[in-house]
Amino acid sequence: MTGVFSLLPEGRPGLLATPGDLSSYLAAGGRAPQADPGRLLDRIAAAGLRGRGGAGFPAAVKLRAVRDAPGRPVVVANGEEGEPGSVKDRWLLRHRPHMVLDGLRLAAAVTGAARGYVYLSDATAEQAVRRALIELPGDLGVEVVRTEHTYVAGEETAVVRRVDGGPALPTAKPPRPFENGIGGAPTLVANVETLARVALIHARPDEAADVAGTHLVTLSGAADAALVEAPAGTHLKVLADLCGHGRAEAVLLGGLFGGLYGTGWRDLPLDHDGLIAAGGALGCGALHFLHPENCPVAVATEAAAYLAAQSARQCGVCVSGTGALARTLTAVAHGEASDDTTGQLQRWSQQLPGRGACGLLDAAARIVATLLAHFPERVDAHRGAACLACTDPVAHDGRRFTVRVP
Ligand code: SF4
């Protein structure tokens, strides 16, 4: 089954069910006047809304930090999803641009910003946003900034750098954008799903907790790909069964960020804290299922090769670290590993996290660590003999994980 599906109970507010055209959006309560931004901020905090770009940081904490920083804030709707297996942000910009812009308007009201940006790389999304901007009321000045599509272009410091006219590459932190962002102003870089949920919380205040407790996820793998909206806590087996992935033996969590998970994946909950407690991560909500014919070593090798190719090559440890992980995994996949290869991979996967300016190096290390933790016997089975599923040339372009926007 390919397409867009809602698993929300009848009547529960969702982004997929909210109409996309302007007149229907207004009729559904969109663009309601904002008389008390402080009250909206309290509502977002009470609902527990967390950012949907990947880190899952509490949205209210970020809004408050930007509001309280010295200087006139700037707000950015970040629609540049670098994970190749995620389509939710491009889908929202293409099909719910009024809702995203409404969320940006509300974020500006909460923080006191007079200037906003929509940051994206997708040409179809750009057209939809530009059309919607013509109909955006109020005095928030909004510009669209186009970037190239790379794994790191949506990282918040890369967003600031690109909007300021530089390359879309991360910078060292601190300072973070909330203290020194675009043009030196305190800057909110908010994922477009987060902003759409802010708009929905404003329109349906009595159901704010339900809105915050719902996720948009992209499912992919050997069967069909789909964009699904589901309540937090939904077991991954329910999502897999929906789209023909019920026979999967493992899952790659959070795009390339959350690592591999083998036995027990079916009972994992769709939830930031639940997945972290299980040793995974939800990230941007992209789930790639591995079917019996998919070798986890091959999947990890392609993921590491893609991340090495996407390294922005600014941090020496990232260039050497991702390159070494990808080369060594390729050797494992081709049956060319030496006696100490597994131990070497283990050491690198523990030493490398946190040493780059962005999360790319962490993602590569986590994929290796989880491959060794969940599939030790599959890794061992490659010693001295290449497995049939690993004989294809290693792709560096992320094609295995890439999903078309439905
Ligand atoms: S960690 Fe890698 S991808 Fe991230 S900024 Fe450094 S070199 Fe670039």
Side-chain angles (χ1 to χ4, degrees):
M1 200 184 335
T2 304
V4 178
F5 306 100
S6 173
L7 287 181
L8 301 183
E10 184 78 25
R12 177 163 167 163
L15 305 186
L16 301 185
T18 302
D21 67 286
L22 182 57
S23 56
S24 305
Y25 179 59
L26 296 178
R31 288 196 192 160
Q34 174 49 267
D36 187 349
R39 195 149 169 230
L40 174 59
L41 180 55
D42 291 343
R43 198 167 275 141
I44 293 167
L49 179 66
R50 293 169 73 158
R52 302 308 169 90
F57 196 71
V61 173
K62 205 163 163 181
L63 284 160
R64 202 172 282 126
V66 173
R67 182 195 66 181
D68 296 344
R72 190 77 194 262
V74 176
V75 287
V76 183
N78 183 8
E80 176 46 25
E81 49 189 354
E83 289 285 358
S86 180
V87 297
K88 70 182 180 68
D89 296 334
R90 280 169 288 164
W91 191 92
L92 285 171
L93 287 171
R94 289 182 183 192
H95 299 285
R96 299 292 183 270
H98 298 294
M99 199 174 193
V100 173
L101 291 175
D102 201 13
L104 188 65
R105 167 189 77 94
L106 293 164
V110 168
T111 58
R115 203 154 46 100
Y117 296 89
V118 180
Y119 178 80
L120 45 70
S121 66
D122 181 56
T124 308
E126 181 180 1
Q127 287 173 3
V129 169
R130 288 195 184 279
R131 276 196 300 272
L133 275 174
I134 294 168
E135 300 173 298
L136 184 70
D139 49 12
L140 178 67
V142 180
E143 280 179 48
V144 177
V145 175
R146 184 97 176 257
T147 186
E148 72 262 52
H149 180 59
T150 68
Y151 191 80
V152 299
E155 197 273 345
E156 63 175 4
T157 59
V159 175
V160 168
R161 207 167 165 190
R162 176 72 189 90
V163 174
D164 269 340
L169 300 175
T171 55
K173 299 173 275 292
R176 290 198 170 269
F178 80 87
E179 25 187 19
N180 186 351
I182 293 168
T187 300
L188 177 82
V189 180
N191 170 264
V192 295
E193 184 191 345
T194 313
L195 292 173
R197 293 203 179 277
V198 166
L200 196 50
I201 285 172
H202 184 55
R204 307 278 290 265
D206 295 341
E207 294 156 289
D210 280 348
V211 175
T214 299
H215 291 278
L216 266 184
V217 293
T218 312
L219 312 179
S220 65
D224 297 328
L227 177 66
V228 178
E229 189 164 29
T234 302
H235 285 143
L236 299 198
K237 66 184 170 205
V238 175
L239 298 170
D241 286 344
L242 176 73
C243 302
H245 296 291
R247 66 191 187 92
E249 293 183 337
V251 63
L252 181 56
L253 297 162
L256 303 180
F257 181 73
L260 287 158
Y261 209 99
T263 303
W265 71 266
R266 287 182 168 76
D267 296 321
L268 291 175
L270 182 68
D271 170 58
H272 276 290
D273 293 336
L275 284 176
I276 288 170
L282 181 58
C284 64
L287 303 172
H288 181 85
F289 294 99
L290 278 65
H291 289 221
E293 64 272 25
N294 300 134
C295 174
V297 174
V299 171
T301 302
E302 287 212 8
Y306 171 73
L307 291 168
Q310 287 289 309
S311 166
R313 311 191 77 76
Q314 300 189 117
C315 316
V317 67
C318 177
V319 177
S320 59
T322 56
L325 292 173
R327 278 193 304 277
T328 308
L329 277 180
T330 302
V332 173
H334 291 167
E336 296 161 358
S338 65
D339 285 349
D340 186 42
T341 299
T342 306
Q344 183 65 70
L345 284 169
Q346 193 91 54
R347 288 190 289 279
W348 284 335
S349 70
Q350 290 165 354
Q351 293 163 356
L352 291 173
R355 296 183 59 194
C358 77
L360 183 145
L361 180 58
D362 299 3
R366 189 193 282 260
I367 281 172
V368 172
T370 52
L371 173 72
L372 299 175
H374 284 269
F375 304 97
E377 71 296 338
R378 299 291 293 270
V379 175
D380 265 356
H382 287 71
R383 286 164 70 95
C387 96
L388 287 177
C390 292
T391 50
D392 289 342
V394 177
H396 293 70
D397 56 7
R399 77 187 70 158
R400 181 195 288 269
F401 310 106
T402 301
V403 177
R404 190 177 56 82
V405 184

